[in-house]
Amino acid sequence: MKQLLRMVVSEEMEVKQWLLRFLWGKGLPGLTIRQSEMSLDERGLRHVSVLEDQLYNDLALIIETVADETLITSILLQLKKRLKHGQICVTNGLEGDKMNEHRYYTVKVYTKEDNTWFKKEEYEKVLLFFQEKNAIWTSMTKGIAGYGKDRVIHTQKMFSLSGKIPVVIECVVKGDYLNELLAELKTIVEEGTIFTTPVHLIENK
């Protein structure tokens, strides 16, 4: 079974670098690190992005990777010991016969900007694709660091125009449209990971 490992930690550089290298070294097939714009830490203190020093504001980092259950289970103990403060969550993905048992699903695509389907200047084309597939509230967010199947770590640098920045696309899809969306995504996403799991949609307006 595939699982989504999601961690929320402080932006402290040593934590970020350790996690990046640790997960890379353990063979996790891909990783995306995103930075929040504003966050509350474990003490309830607020942190806000400051434009002139955006990479070093001690904001919360969202770190996500998708891998086999056995691999994720094997590293959880080390992660818990290392993180003094933070949050670790694991979500089971859905595959096979159980794909049509729920009303709504979250779909997440982890990719990067420099592939033929997802270019910086073609965000609108990507959103149009999800719109045509009846996805709800589709969002695209950029990461500040990550790696994919090439095992090359890409990190956002200040003033960098790099085209290899990790990107996460997220949406909610009705069960009626899920199989069609996933089938087309599998043919379109040339490099990246697609993850889906059922959700309870509380409100949509």
Side-chain angles (χ1 to χ4, degrees):
M1 176 192 298
K2 295 290 184 187
Q3 291 185 325
L4 169 65
L5 172 63
R6 174 185 170 94
M7 291 164 283
V8 182
V9 300
S10 166
E11 191 185 18
E12 297 172 71
M13 293 306 292
E14 60 185 49
V15 173
K16 181 177 78 173
Q17 293 301 329
W18 179 83
L19 279 170
L20 189 60
R21 294 291 176 182
F22 173 76
L23 296 172
W24 183 89
K26 290 295 181 180
L28 275 295
L31 176 78
T32 302
I33 301 178
R34 291 177 284 168
Q35 181 187 55
S36 64
E37 290 295 314
M38 184 180 289
S39 63
L40 295 173
D41 63 20
E42 74 282 355
R43 297 165 294 169
L45 298 177
R46 187 176 62 167
H47 301 272
V48 182
S49 177
V50 179
L51 184 61
E52 60 269 18
D53 194 17
Q54 194 171 359
L55 297 179
Y56 308 101
N57 291 289
D58 203 20
L59 293 160
L61 297 179
I62 301 159
I63 301 166
E64 293 179 321
T65 182
V66 175
D68 290 329
E69 179 182 9
T70 51
L71 180 53
I72 289 178
T73 301
S74 71
I75 63 172
L76 283 178
L77 185 60
Q78 286 174 275
L79 286 174
K80 288 191 277 188
K81 283 182 177 178
R82 176 73 189 216
L83 295 183
K84 295 176 184 175
H85 304 288
Q87 183 183 83
I88 302 172
C89 299
V90 175
T91 304
N92 292 331
L94 238 92
E95 299 171 351
D97 297 339
K98 297 184 178 179
M99 294 294 278
N100 298 313
E101 293 182 359
H102 303 271
R103 289 191 64 195
Y104 293 97
Y105 295 81
T106 277
V107 175
K108 296 168 79 85
V109 179
Y110 299 91
T111 186
K112 60 181 181 180
E113 281 187 341
D114 72 339
N115 62 63
T116 53
W117 178 63
F118 194 85
K119 289 187 171 64
K120 211 164 19 177
E121 61 274 14
E122 294 182 347
Y123 282 4
E124 193 170 337
K125 182 182 82 173
V126 175
L127 281 178
L128 182 61
F129 167 81
F130 281 91
Q131 184 183 42
E132 289 171 348
K133 300 303 172 191
N134 299 292
I136 304 168
W137 283 100
T138 303
S139 65
M140 294 183 287
T141 55
K142 289 185 180 182
I144 60 170
Y147 66 88
K149 67 178 182 181
D150 58 5
R151 306 288 293 163
V152 176
I153 294 175
H154 301 288
T155 304
Q156 179 187 3
K157 308 290 185 187
M158 203 170 289
F159 310 117
S160 169
L161 299 176
S162 169
K164 297 183 183 292
I165 296 299
V167 176
V168 181
I169 308 166
E170 301 176 79
C171 65
V172 173
V173 182
K174 274 189 175 180
D176 298 342
Y177 306 122
L178 180 68
N179 288 333
E180 181 183 348
L181 173 61
L182 293 179
E184 291 207 36
L185 278 176
K186 287 175 184 177
T187 65
I188 290 171
V189 178
E190 62 187 37
E191 182 176 347
T193 297
I194 303 165
F195 182 84
T196 186
T197 192
V199 291
H200 294 291
L201 185 61
I202 306 301
E203 186 71 84
N204 177 50
K205 60 182 181 180

